[in-house]
Amino acid sequence: MQPEMMQHELQILKAALITLHPGTYRYETPASIDSVFAVFDRREAKPMSQNRYFILTGQLLTHIHCGHTYTNYWNQPKVISNALFSKTCLPLLFRMIGRQMIITDNLSDSKKIKPGDELVAINGIPVKRIVDSLITVSQSDGLHGLPRKLDNISVEPLDADTSNYNLFDIYFPLFFPQNFDTDHYRLKLKAFNGGMYEDQVKSLSRTARLTTYNRRFGVLPVHEKDWSLKFLNEQTVCFTIGDFETWEWKADYHKYLDSIFTVLNQKKVQNLIVDIRGNGGGDDAARDEVFSYLTDKPFGCDDPMHRRIRFLVIPDTLLPYLKTWDKSFKEPKDPNRYKKLPGGWYENKADSLGACVPVQPKPNHFQGRLFLLTDGRNSSTTFTLAKMFRMAHAGEIIGETTGGNQQGINGGQFFFLYLPESKIEVDIPLIWGAYTGNKADTGLQPDIAVSITAASVSRNDDAVLDFVLNQIATGK
């Protein structure tokens, strides 16, 4: 990439973020944003490789402190994905526990590598250096999102689905191309029970990784199948919701939910564990439908979300670079219907009047004891589900602090900004779902914090679920 091309794109990106993005000035001042862009402008004063430019763009976007603003792997055109995304991947799944990479699933042919072992180095690169690099392109909401940034680096089972991408698969080869061997990985590990060892494993294609996972651990549940109901005993049921991306379903989730809660009530189940760990979000309507079976009170108006936007009219200079799924997002908004707020945001006058129609609980809503299991991946629709659960006092939240942010997150509607020279795509959310009052700049803390540890991974235990079952058994 030549300097004049990169600097032209930098001007387009800056204009789009300042003009369209509702979160650009939520955590940074105009002066600090100008300073950030000045730094990147100087970095782009010399020619650089395409992969280095992709990294640089990802690093710049983290300064917006928005979990939905990034170089979206799913939306990159073929010219980018074919040129930059590796065709092979590490044959290991791992979970970030703090800054440690703890093996959860071994998909290689090696017999030495066990769950609970810690990855110390890959291809001679210390994991500390890898993590320090990847965290610079890892997105989160707000200024206190380090746990979420670390969690983004994990490669968990759902990441093995070939329709998914994850940060490690994309960025590890980009940061360390000179150390990247497409045939094998040289590993240094620390056994859970003590002692260092080395091993070499053959790389896998993404298709082969999924095939191996399915063969060794059972078919990975996706779409409809990642919603599942399991009776742990006659009185306790676990309802797992893998994602809220119901637009990919072939079945009707409304009928599915109605049928399972009818069964739960008929069987007089006393304890329901709703497990949303690993669920990054999806459709808000599906979330509301689920929650209408978990509460006996109307909801959605106790702490209503205020939809704030940054613009009424898109500058003509930006329109050629913007794509979206609904052309109405690009249409000028009637200034008579919006009021301008301090800080440069706009709010629809109808929304600002405070009118809210609550969602009603279902007649066959669950009437027993409820538990919600959370973790750091709950950063969008699932963050708001946890917030609703807390506000309704529906039950106990157990597990790890969610992603997202109690001050509200950006999302709802999106523009896909395609930079004209490099063709890199950047997601730009258009709505800040703001909450009133003095909210913390963090995700939602659980009622009882229980974390997965290397020891529980080594034993193949689910420490969070085991904790809940012990609470039930002991009557706590």
Side-chain angles (χ1 to χ4, degrees), residues 96 99-101 118-122 125-132 188:
M96 294 300 299
R99 287 179 174 267
Q100 296 177 308
M101 289 184 178
E118 177 189 353
L119 265 173
V120 176
I122 304 174
I125 313 161
V127 160
K128 180 184 185 305
R129 184 181 168 201
I130 296 172
V131 171
D132 287 346
K188 185 176 181 180

mmCIF file of all heavy atoms in Angstrom, residues 96 99-101 118-122 125-132 188:
data_model
loop_
_atom_site.group_PDB
_atom_site.id
_atom_site.type_symbol
_atom_site.label_atom_id
_atom_site.label_comp_id
_atom_site.label_asym_id
_atom_site.label_seq_id
_atom_site.Cartn_x
_atom_site.Cartn_y
_atom_site.Cartn_z
ATOM 1 N N MET A 96 -8.651 -18.567 27.099
ATOM 2 C CA MET A 96 -7.815 -17.629 27.826
ATOM 3 C C MET A 96 -8.291 -17.557 29.271
ATOM 4 O O MET A 96 -9.440 -17.200 29.547
ATOM 5 C CB MET A 96 -7.875 -16.240 27.191
ATOM 6 C CG MET A 96 -7.290 -16.144 25.800
ATOM 7 S SD MET A 96 -5.543 -16.587 25.687
ATOM 8 C CE MET A 96 -4.806 -15.360 26.781
ATOM 9 N N ARG A 99 -4.108 -14.319 31.284
ATOM 10 C CA ARG A 99 -3.280 -14.213 30.081
ATOM 11 C C ARG A 99 -2.683 -15.561 29.681
ATOM 12 O O ARG A 99 -1.758 -15.616 28.867
ATOM 13 C CB ARG A 99 -2.172 -13.182 30.295
ATOM 14 C CG ARG A 99 -2.688 -11.737 30.296
ATOM 15 C CD ARG A 99 -1.568 -10.755 30.539
ATOM 16 N NE ARG A 99 -2.026 -9.376 30.412
ATOM 17 C CZ ARG A 99 -1.971 -8.647 29.303
ATOM 18 N NH1 ARG A 99 -1.456 -9.173 28.195
ATOM 19 N NH2 ARG A 99 -2.404 -7.403 29.277
ATOM 20 N N GLN A 100 -3.215 -16.630 30.233
ATOM 21 C CA GLN A 100 -2.728 -17.963 29.910
ATOM 22 C C GLN A 100 -3.629 -18.631 28.870
ATOM 23 O O GLN A 100 -4.858 -18.524 28.935
ATOM 24 C CB GLN A 100 -2.688 -18.843 31.169
ATOM 25 C CG GLN A 100 -1.724 -18.359 32.240
ATOM 26 C CD GLN A 100 -1.803 -19.238 33.474
ATOM 27 O OE1 GLN A 100 -2.875 -19.480 34.022
ATOM 28 N NE2 GLN A 100 -0.657 -19.732 33.911
ATOM 29 N N MET A 101 -2.995 -19.324 27.921
ATOM 30 C CA MET A 101 -3.729 -20.123 26.941
ATOM 31 C C MET A 101 -3.826 -21.545 27.467
ATOM 32 O O MET A 101 -2.828 -22.276 27.492
ATOM 33 C CB MET A 101 -3.012 -20.119 25.584
ATOM 34 C CG MET A 101 -3.067 -18.819 24.833
ATOM 35 S SD MET A 101 -2.285 -18.994 23.189
ATOM 36 C CE MET A 101 -2.553 -17.343 22.524
ATOM 37 N N GLU A 118 -0.922 -25.786 29.496
ATOM 38 C CA GLU A 118 -0.809 -24.383 29.096
ATOM 39 C C GLU A 118 0.148 -24.227 27.919
ATOM 40 O O GLU A 118 1.265 -24.737 27.940
ATOM 41 C CB GLU A 118 -0.291 -23.551 30.274
ATOM 42 C CG GLU A 118 -0.074 -22.091 29.938
ATOM 43 C CD GLU A 118 0.640 -21.319 31.037
ATOM 44 O OE1 GLU A 118 0.847 -21.888 32.121
ATOM 45 O OE2 GLU A 118 0.991 -20.150 30.791
ATOM 46 N N LEU A 119 -0.309 -23.535 26.892
ATOM 47 C CA LEU A 119 0.556 -23.181 25.772
ATOM 48 C C LEU A 119 1.512 -22.080 26.228
ATOM 49 O O LEU A 119 1.073 -21.026 26.712
ATOM 50 C CB LEU A 119 -0.276 -22.674 24.599
ATOM 51 C CG LEU A 119 -0.659 -23.671 23.511
ATOM 52 C CD1 LEU A 119 -1.628 -23.016 22.535
ATOM 53 C CD2 LEU A 119 0.560 -24.179 22.779
ATOM 54 N N VAL A 120 2.804 -22.312 26.069
ATOM 55 C CA VAL A 120 3.820 -21.346 26.503
ATOM 56 C C VAL A 120 4.439 -20.626 25.311
ATOM 57 O O VAL A 120 4.778 -19.439 25.394
ATOM 58 C CB VAL A 120 4.903 -22.051 27.347
ATOM 59 C CG1 VAL A 120 6.015 -21.094 27.739
ATOM 60 C CG2 VAL A 120 4.273 -22.675 28.595
ATOM 61 N N ALA A 121 4.608 -21.330 24.189
ATOM 62 C CA ALA A 121 5.169 -20.720 22.990
ATOM 63 C C ALA A 121 4.662 -21.450 21.759
ATOM 64 O O ALA A 121 4.406 -22.663 21.800
ATOM 65 C CB ALA A 121 6.693 -20.746 23.024
ATOM 66 N N ILE A 122 4.503 -20.719 20.653
ATOM 67 C CA ILE A 122 4.075 -21.281 19.374
ATOM 68 C C ILE A 122 5.091 -20.852 18.319
ATOM 69 O O ILE A 122 5.350 -19.650 18.142
ATOM 70 C CB ILE A 122 2.669 -20.787 18.977
ATOM 71 C CG1 ILE A 122 1.654 -21.091 20.078
ATOM 72 C CG2 ILE A 122 2.233 -21.415 17.652
ATOM 73 C CD1 ILE A 122 0.271 -20.500 19.822
ATOM 74 N N ILE A 125 7.584 -18.381 19.431
ATOM 75 C CA ILE A 125 7.112 -17.073 19.898
ATOM 76 C C ILE A 125 6.457 -17.253 21.265
ATOM 77 O O ILE A 125 5.494 -18.020 21.391
ATOM 78 C CB ILE A 125 6.085 -16.473 18.932
ATOM 79 C CG1 ILE A 125 6.569 -16.572 17.491
ATOM 80 C CG2 ILE A 125 5.786 -15.025 19.301
ATOM 81 C CD1 ILE A 125 5.467 -16.425 16.483
ATOM 82 N N PRO A 126 6.949 -16.578 22.294
ATOM 83 C CA PRO A 126 6.315 -16.708 23.605
ATOM 84 C C PRO A 126 4.848 -16.286 23.549
ATOM 85 O O PRO A 126 4.498 -15.310 22.865
ATOM 86 C CB PRO A 126 7.129 -15.750 24.481
ATOM 87 C CG PRO A 126 8.432 -15.598 23.782
ATOM 88 C CD PRO A 126 8.116 -15.686 22.316
ATOM 89 N N VAL A 127 3.998 -17.019 24.257
ATOM 90 C CA VAL A 127 2.575 -16.688 24.282
ATOM 91 C C VAL A 127 2.356 -15.274 24.799
ATOM 92 O O VAL A 127 1.456 -14.567 24.340
ATOM 93 C CB VAL A 127 1.791 -17.722 25.117
ATOM 94 C CG1 VAL A 127 0.443 -17.179 25.560
ATOM 95 C CG2 VAL A 127 1.590 -18.995 24.291
ATOM 96 N N LYS A 128 3.180 -14.836 25.746
ATOM 97 C CA LYS A 128 3.037 -13.458 26.241
ATOM 98 C C LYS A 128 3.135 -12.462 25.094
ATOM 99 O O LYS A 128 2.353 -11.503 25.009
ATOM 100 C CB LYS A 128 4.108 -13.149 27.287
ATOM 101 C CG LYS A 128 4.015 -11.721 27.845
ATOM 102 C CD LYS A 128 5.130 -11.413 28.804
ATOM 103 C CE LYS A 128 4.942 -10.020 29.428
ATOM 104 N NZ LYS A 128 4.812 -8.960 28.399
ATOM 105 N N ARG A 129 4.090 -12.668 24.188
ATOM 106 C CA ARG A 129 4.241 -11.763 23.049
ATOM 107 C C ARG A 129 3.048 -11.870 22.114
ATOM 108 O O ARG A 129 2.578 -10.871 21.555
ATOM 109 C CB ARG A 129 5.540 -12.088 22.307
ATOM 110 C CG ARG A 129 5.841 -11.138 21.160
ATOM 111 C CD ARG A 129 7.126 -11.539 20.450
ATOM 112 N NE ARG A 129 7.275 -10.832 19.190
ATOM 113 C CZ ARG A 129 8.037 -11.230 18.195
ATOM 114 N NH1 ARG A 129 8.754 -12.345 18.307
ATOM 115 N NH2 ARG A 129 8.111 -10.530 17.077
ATOM 116 N N ILE A 130 2.556 -13.087 21.912
ATOM 117 C CA ILE A 130 1.386 -13.283 21.052
ATOM 118 C C ILE A 130 0.179 -12.541 21.618
ATOM 119 O O ILE A 130 -0.513 -11.806 20.910
ATOM 120 C CB ILE A 130 1.077 -14.781 20.889
ATOM 121 C CG1 ILE A 130 2.225 -15.482 20.159
ATOM 122 C CG2 ILE A 130 -0.238 -14.980 20.134
ATOM 123 C CD1 ILE A 130 2.106 -16.994 20.131
ATOM 124 N N VAL A 131 -0.069 -12.727 22.913
ATOM 125 C CA VAL A 131 -1.223 -12.092 23.554
ATOM 126 C C VAL A 131 -1.081 -10.576 23.520
ATOM 127 O O VAL A 131 -2.040 -9.850 23.220
ATOM 128 C CB VAL A 131 -1.394 -12.608 24.994
ATOM 129 C CG1 VAL A 131 -2.455 -11.797 25.743
ATOM 130 C CG2 VAL A 131 -1.773 -14.084 24.990
ATOM 131 N N ASP A 132 0.112 -10.066 23.829
ATOM 132 C CA ASP A 132 0.328 -8.615 23.796
ATOM 133 C C ASP A 132 0.057 -8.039 22.418
ATOM 134 O O ASP A 132 -0.410 -6.900 22.281
ATOM 135 C CB ASP A 132 1.758 -8.280 24.222
ATOM 136 C CG ASP A 132 2.006 -8.466 25.713
ATOM 137 O OD1 ASP A 132 1.017 -8.603 26.460
ATOM 138 O OD2 ASP A 132 3.178 -8.481 26.123
ATOM 139 N N LYS A 188 5.608 -25.240 22.664
ATOM 140 C CA LYS A 188 6.173 -25.433 23.991
ATOM 141 C C LYS A 188 5.018 -25.336 24.976
ATOM 142 O O LYS A 188 4.223 -24.387 24.908
ATOM 143 C CB LYS A 188 7.226 -24.373 24.297
ATOM 144 C CG LYS A 188 7.949 -24.578 25.626
ATOM 145 C CD LYS A 188 9.051 -23.542 25.824
ATOM 146 C CE LYS A 188 9.798 -23.761 27.133
ATOM 147 N NZ LYS A 188 10.887 -22.745 27.328
#
